[in-house]
Amino acid sequence: MSKASDDTTDEGSGSPKAKRGFAAMSPEKRCAIARKGGQAVQQKGTAHQFDPEEAKRAGRKGGNKISKNRRHMADIGRKGGRTTARKLGYTYNDDKPLKSDDT
């Protein structure tokens, strides 16, 4: 059985489940705590910063991961092709090009 993310019942018992920790805090309070943590590591000098080479490796890793999903890549290509065709004046109906406005 799948639970919705806002479901706050205790598993099995059906009784309300109290929020604890960060879940019980307001978004503003969570943000303030996160901000303090970010400022602390910046001041301490231990905050992680990508250098260009590391950023390049991370981007390549993400690109390799997503490009294995052939259906996703086909959808991206199709969307780009349709955008280009629309810019050239073609109209579409049910994924098939109908005609160019200038013909």
Side-chain angles (χ1 to χ4, degrees):
M1 180 174 154
S2 160
K3 288 187 167 201
S5 62
D6 61 348
D7 189 3
T8 57
T9 57
D10 203 4
E11 238 179 87
S13 70
S15 62
K17 184 176 171 184
K19 291 184 176 181
R20 300 175 358 184
F22 283 101
M25 293 180 196
S26 69
E28 293 81 19
K29 190 168 183 178
R30 285 193 303 253
C31 185
I33 291 171
R35 187 177 301 112
K36 285 181 184 178
Q39 289 170 346
V41 296
Q42 288 289 340
Q43 290 171 357
K44 189 177 175 185
T46 58
H48 180 77
Q49 294 181 347
F50 280 104
D51 62 11
E53 196 57 40
E54 186 178 9
K56 197 184 304 184
R57 283 193 309 271
R60 190 172 293 122
K61 184 177 177 182
N64 287 338
K65 180 79 172 170
I66 196 70
S67 67
K68 290 179 182 176
N69 183 340
R70 303 286 295 169
R71 185 174 186 176
H72 176 71
M73 295 305 289
D75 289 342
I76 291 171
R78 191 175 302 109
K79 186 175 179 181
R82 286 183 186 150
T83 299
T84 301
R86 250 184 239 110
K87 288 180 180 178
L88 294 173
Y90 285 90
T91 56
Y92 279 83
N93 185 15
D94 295 328
D95 298 330
K96 297 175 187 168
L98 295 175
K99 63 177 183 174
S100 173
D101 292 337
D102 59 8
T103 54

